[in-house]
Amino acid sequence: MQFKHITCPQCGLLCDDLDVSVNDQDVTLDDNSHSVCKQFFVDAKLTDKSVLQPRINGKPCTLNEAVAHAAKLHTTAKQSIISGLIADVQACRSAFALAEKTHSVIDHANGQSMRASTAIMQRYGEVRTTLAEARNRADCIVLFGAEILTKFPRLRERILQPAETISGNTDRKIIIIDVVENTDLAADEEIEFFHLPLPNLEAAIQQLQYLASPRASAETEIEPAIRAIHQQISESNYAVLTWTASLFSKNTAEQTLQNLTFFIKESMKTQRCVGLPLSGSRGEITANQVSTWQTGFPLPVAFSSGAPEHNPVIYNAETMLTNSEADLLTWISTYSSDDTPKQYATANIVIGHPNMQCDQTVDVFIPVGIPGVDQRGLACRTDAVATLPLHSIRKNDLPSADHVLNLIYQAL
């Protein structure tokens, strides 16, 4: 059976124009040119190695037994953490309900890399655009890091160089900055690729930010390519700067995002210049949106006092688990079998992808259906302005993560 206009949650673009064929439990993307999208459906295939029955300490059990054991672990835990959150909107909503009832800390698997962007937004605000605006209005798009095209493989086709736009104008400058040589992009006549002799992307962004600042001096030593890029941005009518924070060092990401924000704000005094950060390949945009809707705060959030509290330093789930500040981890991951939890000295409950093979024997493992394949759902796109439908195209007995979380909630 063939399904059209299917949404793929493999990356934050959430492309919703895919044709997918289903034969029993096999799911196949019809267009083999979309390699990253294809991987999501390949990973969804159920085989004799798939885990289709819940397990307690590695031994098969019923769903009711697994739920009862998970509830018992929550009841006896002194400090529990709910993380992963690599899931659809409704599963994230149910995770927040469970966190509130169990006085847990809730955070995303990518919480560490999300902190920098949240901090800059809170302190300075940001000027951002959407995928649609970038596609239809931009006349100059600058990408920081060629790896963006790997992480978001259909970005070029759908946003950077679309076949048509609302304005009717598809002529634009595409500039890619990197500190690593790329012979394919260097030979590409449709893209202007700059290989910079700098230690990292952060250094390039710092130099670019300096050129836009009021204190900029012609005598300051700046890479000639950076000056040329700044000139092209200055001469454009609608410039878009695109990055993904995962390419920046965790230690300097906040400063780098601050430099980008200051550059954009300074440029906006004389022209249209906006940012388009890309993320969401592990559902972090969805989780953060749900957090804001439900609590009024971005992640992480703690319900230790009964009311939601946001403190990105104190309630950093990864730090808490590493420092043994929690005694229970509930991990939710439904999109990819590779998103397994790290091993910590805690009891653990995993609500996950049926092809997931955890590194350690977990106390409770409950396999669930995959949103976009087994169950309907909703996911938030990378620009956080659109929520797209995930379709149910295959039938089996796997419960949804939302259903399992509700069962645990009711059992408490």
Side-chain angles (χ1 to χ4, degrees), residues 26-60:
D26 289 358
V27 187
T28 307
L29 181 65
D30 293 345
D31 190 340
N32 287 323
S33 65
H34 306 322
S35 58
V36 173
C37 297
K38 178 183 177 181
Q39 181 55 39
F40 169 74
F41 296 102
V42 169
D43 193 31
K45 180 180 178 180
L46 299 182
T47 68
D48 55 359
K49 294 182 179 180
S50 301
V51 180
L52 303 179
Q53 187 177 352
R55 295 178 178 179
I56 297 176
N57 296 322
K59 297 180 180 179

Side-chain angles (χ1 to χ4, degrees), residues 302-337:
F303 290 92
S304 306
S305 66
E309 299 177 53
H310 169 70
N311 189 314
V313 176
I314 296 175
Y315 302 126
N316 183 323
E318 185 174 347
T319 301
M320 291 180 69
L321 289 163
T322 300
N323 295 339
S324 298
E325 297 172 14
D327 54 357
L328 175 63
L329 168 64
T330 298
W331 180 266
I332 306 161
S333 176
T334 60
Y335 291 138
S336 170
S337 63

Side-chain angles (χ1 to χ4, degrees), residues 20-317:
V20 178
S21 296
V22 178
N23 181 14
D24 191 18
Q25 300 303 305
D26 289 358
V27 187
T28 307
L29 181 65
D30 293 345
D31 190 340
N32 287 323
S33 65
H34 306 322
S35 58
V36 173
C37 297
K38 178 183 177 181
Q39 181 55 39
F40 169 74
F41 296 102
V42 169
D43 193 31
K45 180 180 178 180
L46 299 182
T47 68
D48 55 359
K49 294 182 179 180
S50 301
V51 180
L52 303 179
Q53 187 177 352
R55 295 178 178 179
I56 297 176
N57 296 322
K59 297 180 180 179
C61 64
T62 67
L63 177 58
N64 288 339
E65 289 171 336
V67 167
H69 195 71
K72 182 180 179 180
L73 290 173
H74 273 286
T75 301
T76 58
K78 294 180 180 179
Q79 176 61 71
S80 60
I81 288 177
I82 298 176
S83 189
L85 300 183
I86 308 168
D88 63 307
V89 166
Q90 197 54 44
C92 289
R93 285 184 183 275
S94 297
F96 271 88
L98 182 62
E100 183 176 14
K101 191 166 188 177
T102 57
H103 303 288
S104 300
V105 171
I106 186 165
D107 196 7
H108 190 273
N110 280 0
Q112 195 73 22
S113 61
M114 294 164 63
R115 306 275 189 268
S117 180
T118 299
I120 297 303
M121 175 70 81
Q122 289 172 333
R123 288 206 298 270
Y124 306 109
E126 292 180 327
V127 184
R128 294 184 179 182
T129 190
T130 66
L131 293 177
E133 279 287 294
R135 172 190 171 106
N136 292 300
R137 306 295 182 192
D139 60 349
C140 177
I141 303 180
V142 181
L143 284 73
F144 294 96
E147 196 175 335
I148 291 176
L149 297 182
T150 302
K151 289 179 173 291
F152 303 88
R154 297 189 67 198
L155 182 69
R156 186 170 181 176
E157 168 197 349
R158 291 173 63 85
I159 308 300
L160 303 183
Q161 296 172 311
E164 56 183 8
T165 65
I166 291 176
S167 64
N169 182 17
T170 57
D171 184 24
R172 60 180 53 154
K173 293 178 181 177
I174 307 297
I175 299 170
I176 297 180
I177 301 171
D178 211 333
V179 295
V180 178
E181 183 59 274
N182 188 308
T183 54
D184 291 337
L185 289 177
D188 195 318
E189 297 181 355
E190 297 179 330
I191 286 179
E192 195 168 359
F193 178 73
F194 288 90
H195 173 218
L196 303 178
L198 294 171
N200 47 47
L201 287 170
E202 289 90 327
I205 291 169
Q206 187 174 26
Q207 290 194 12
L208 189 63
Q209 188 271 329
Y210 175 79
L211 288 178
S213 68
R215 70 177 188 279
S217 168
E219 287 74 34
T220 303
E221 187 175 341
I222 300 289
E223 281 296 322
I226 295 291
R227 291 190 182 275
I229 293 164
H230 180 245
Q231 183 66 27
Q232 291 191 60
I233 293 173
S234 302
E235 293 173 353
S236 65
N237 294 316
Y238 195 132
V240 174
L241 274 57
T242 300
W243 65 88
T244 178
S246 62
L247 297 184
F248 305 146
S249 167
K250 289 183 179 180
N251 296 329
T252 58
E254 192 169 321
Q255 180 61 52
T256 300
L257 294 179
Q258 179 176 303
N259 287 337
L260 282 165
T261 298
F262 284 1
F263 175 85
I264 289 169
K265 287 190 172 185
E266 196 63 34
S267 299
M268 278 287 285
K269 293 178 180 179
T270 57
Q271 65 176 115
R272 180 70 171 168
C273 182
V274 292
L276 181 63
L278 298 176
S279 60
S281 296
R282 297 179 79 194
E284 56 265 42
I285 301 299
T286 298
N288 216 38
Q289 289 289 90
V290 171
S291 180
T292 306
W293 301 337
Q294 299 291 94
T295 71
F297 296 111
L299 290 166
V301 174
F303 290 92
S304 306
S305 66
E309 299 177 53
H310 169 70
N311 189 314
V313 176
I314 296 175
Y315 302 126
N316 183 323

